[in-house]
Amino acid sequence: MLNRIIRSAASSLKTPSSKLTRGLATPVQHPSLFTHVLPPKSPAALFLKSGQTYNGQAFGSTNSKFGETVFSTSITSYTDSMTDPSYLGQILVFTSPMIGNYGVPSNASLPETPGIPFLESDGIKCAGVVVSDVALKYSHYQAVESLHEWCARYDVPGITGVDTRAITSLLRDQGTTLGKLAVGDDVLAGPPSEYWDPSKENLIAKVSTPQPYTLNPQGKGPKIAILDFGSKANILRSLVKRDAVVTVLPWNFDFNTVRDQYDGLFLSNGPGSPMSIMETVERVRVTINEWNKPIFGICMGHQILGLAAGLEAYRMTFGNRGHNQPVLALASSGSIKAGRVYVTSQNHQYALTLTEDFPEGWAPFFINCNDSSVEGIITTPESGKQIWGTQFHPESAGGPLDTIEMFSDFVDACDPAKGNAMATEEVKVGGADARVAATA
């Protein structure tokens, strides 16, 4: 009797219901749900250019990689983090002790958002992965492969069995550090001259779309253009779900030549330094000065807006990466209420400089409750503009959805039929003195 029950259960697993296959490309379970593909026992080491070495076991690719070693405090959504284009060229250290326990889902588009991948891009974007304990077996109804198989398929090496707490403490003290994730027969530190510094390159050009394309062409909402600096897929989903017609443009596309065709402009997130694309900053400055329709920037897009407005940007010691960053709203706009703290998802190394003398027509929108860095900028009512920038990700993926309605606010502001739904009303929370005191 027991054997019949086991055989019946196994048979039902091999023929999953449509409910169990939601999000998969085809209604077929991956074979490793039943026969796990394990990596061969192979040594690995994380070498930092500053001299430290961390030894462990390899998984994923058998090829060694160089990159910028950073840490993330996210406790979930490792697949979203690893496919975030903003992690391009970085060796990602997860502070969460176990990674891989729910496997990796199919990246096929969902029926309601065709043309947009299920994860945050078309594949893994980070250079390597460092975890305390990798889960080689996984359990999730959407999983189609293990973290090890996924990393091997995208030629991304991983190391497990290292003290990620010690690595994180070191990176917090000395800052983001160049590193080499060495695996297999190549477990050698190599000379300092070999260590690749991705921040010196235009990483945005490597992840931006090469050609313009349009999503939701039959949408009844406003027409919104996106300058793609390495946009997360959930930004596209968040706009399409609000029925906007979204046209994605390359990072170096001159929007000013076509701006009259659109109801709004969106500046996406992206990897590296905002100073690497100063030609785009100059074009955005022209747009701000000559165009009176809504503009919204997130992460890299926020930094580009700030530079175009006349602010300065700087490289943070170790950046903010995680899904638990609290920010204080200094102004009210749409769904955002001044004086409230919002918990946000972030992934950035650069930030705008907080200054007492903000450019005319601009004001700080949010400030980080942990380090007092600028988390948002906004145009004042006197400017006559409707422009917002956030250093954090309102669309999360993964992370909290405290500020997701900013997308509704923006789409409503762009909609000619709804007018100035996001008209700005700055609410003073202690006035300018409070903003200056926040930097102390």
Side-chain angles (χ1 to χ4, degrees):
M1 171 66 84
L2 179 59
N3 288 337
R4 286 201 301 272
I5 293 174
I6 293 174
R7 285 196 297 271
S8 175
S11 175
S12 65
L13 281 175
K14 292 177 182 177
T15 311
S17 68
S18 59
K19 179 180 179 182
L20 291 179
T21 57
R22 180 170 58 86
L24 302 184
T26 55
V28 177
Q29 293 284 15
H30 193 276
S32 68
L33 282 176
F34 310 100
T35 304
H36 296 280
V37 178
L38 304 179
K41 291 288 185 179
S42 178
L46 173 65
F47 296 105
L48 299 181
K49 191 176 181 180
S50 52
Q52 297 82 5
T53 301
Y54 301 89
N55 294 293
Q57 286 288 124
F59 67 92
S61 173
T62 57
N63 295 313
S64 301
K65 294 293 177 68
F66 290 92
E68 192 175 43
T69 312
V70 303
F71 67 89
S72 171
T73 58
S74 305
I75 61 174
T76 186
S77 305
Y78 53 85
T79 51
D80 298 288
S81 295
M82 291 170 64
T83 53
D84 182 349
S86 294
Y87 277 117
L88 185 71
Q90 296 180 329
I91 298 172
L92 180 55
V93 180
F94 285 105
T95 60
S96 185
M98 176 177 281
I99 298 293
N101 55 311
Y102 52 84
V104 178
S106 165
N107 202 18
S109 301
L110 295 177
E112 59 267 30
T113 51
I116 304 175
F118 184 69
L119 298 174
E120 291 310 297
S121 68
D122 57 359
I124 302 177
K125 292 296 183 284
C126 61
V129 183
V130 181
V131 303
S132 175
D133 183 14
V134 68
L136 298 174
K137 296 182 179 181
Y138 56 89
S139 178
H140 194 277
Y141 73 96
Q142 288 179 310
V144 297
E145 60 187 331
S146 69
L147 181 61
H148 158 64
E149 294 170 287
W150 192 44
C151 287
R153 192 157 58 86
Y154 279 95
D155 193 27
V156 174
I159 182 173
T160 183
V162 295
D163 188 347
T164 51
R165 296 170 299 176
I167 299 171
T168 300
S169 296
L170 177 73
L171 295 177
R172 283 184 64 89
D173 290 340
Q174 72 181 27
T176 298
T177 305
L178 300 183
K180 176 184 181 181
L181 209 170
V183 296
D185 298 331
D186 188 27
V187 184
L188 299 171
S193 59
E194 286 187 0
Y195 285 69
W196 172 57
D197 186 353
S199 68
K200 294 182 178 179
E201 298 188 15
N202 180 358
L203 299 177
I204 291 170
K206 297 183 179 182
V207 291
S208 177
T209 179
Q211 298 293 333
Y213 65 94
T214 299
L215 298 166
N216 194 33
Q218 305 306 318
K220 294 181 172 40
K223 295 179 179 179
I224 296 174
I226 293 184
L227 282 181
D228 179 20
F229 305 134
S231 179
K232 290 174 62 182
N234 207 39
I235 288 177
L236 306 179
R237 277 191 293 268
S238 297
L239 294 171
V240 167
K241 285 180 178 179
R242 288 159 177 81
D243 210 23
V245 180
V246 177
T247 300
V248 184
L249 304 173
W251 69 275
N252 57 352
F253 189 94
D254 187 356
F255 173 70
N256 292 304
T257 63
V258 296
R259 66 191 185 196
D260 292 340
Q261 302 174 25
Y262 297 96
D263 302 308
L265 173 64
F266 194 100
L267 310 182
S268 84
N269 65 292
S273 166
M275 281 76 83
S276 67
I277 55 168
M278 290 305 294
E279 62 268 44
T280 295
V281 172
E282 293 304 318
R283 291 190 184 113
V284 170
R285 180 177 288 121
V286 172
T287 305
I288 292 172
N289 292 335
E290 298 179 357
W291 203 55
N292 289 320
K293 293 182 181 178
I295 305 175
F296 190 10
I298 286 179
C299 200
M300 176 63 70
H302 157 78
Q303 295 164 20
I304 297 298
L305 279 176
L307 290 174
L311 291 165
E312 295 182 351
Y314 67 98
R315 182 180 172 86
M316 305 177 78
T317 303
F318 52 82
N320 287 331
R321 298 176 179 88
H323 302 158
N324 50 4
Q325 291 287 329
V327 303
L328 172 66
L330 301 178
S332 292
S333 180
S335 61
I336 301 301
K337 305 305 176 186
R340 178 178 169 180
V341 172
Y342 298 86
V343 180
T344 66
S345 179
Q346 300 191 21
N347 175 14
H348 64 101
Q349 184 72 51
Y350 290 81
L352 297 177
T353 302
L354 180 60
T355 174
E356 185 175 356
D357 300 318
F358 247 61
E360 184 178 357
W362 294 84
F365 193 6
F366 296 91
I367 196 164
N368 191 293
C369 298
N370 290 332
D371 60 18
S372 298
S373 59
V374 176
E375 290 287 354
I377 57 176
I378 189 170
T379 47
T380 64
E382 296 76 20
S383 70
K385 304 287 185 178
Q386 295 187 82
I387 305 176
W388 311 265
T390 63
Q391 186 61 74
F392 56 85
H393 286 268
E395 83 287 353
S396 68
L401 295 171
D402 288 28
T403 56
I404 186 64
E405 285 307 308
M406 291 189 75
F407 281 92
S408 297
D409 296 338
F410 174 63
V411 171
D412 286 348
C414 294
D415 193 335
K418 296 183 179 180
N420 298 327
M422 276 184 78
T424 304
E425 177 190 356
E426 184 170 2
V427 177
K428 296 181 179 179
V429 185
D433 291 341
R435 289 197 287 271
V436 175
T439 64

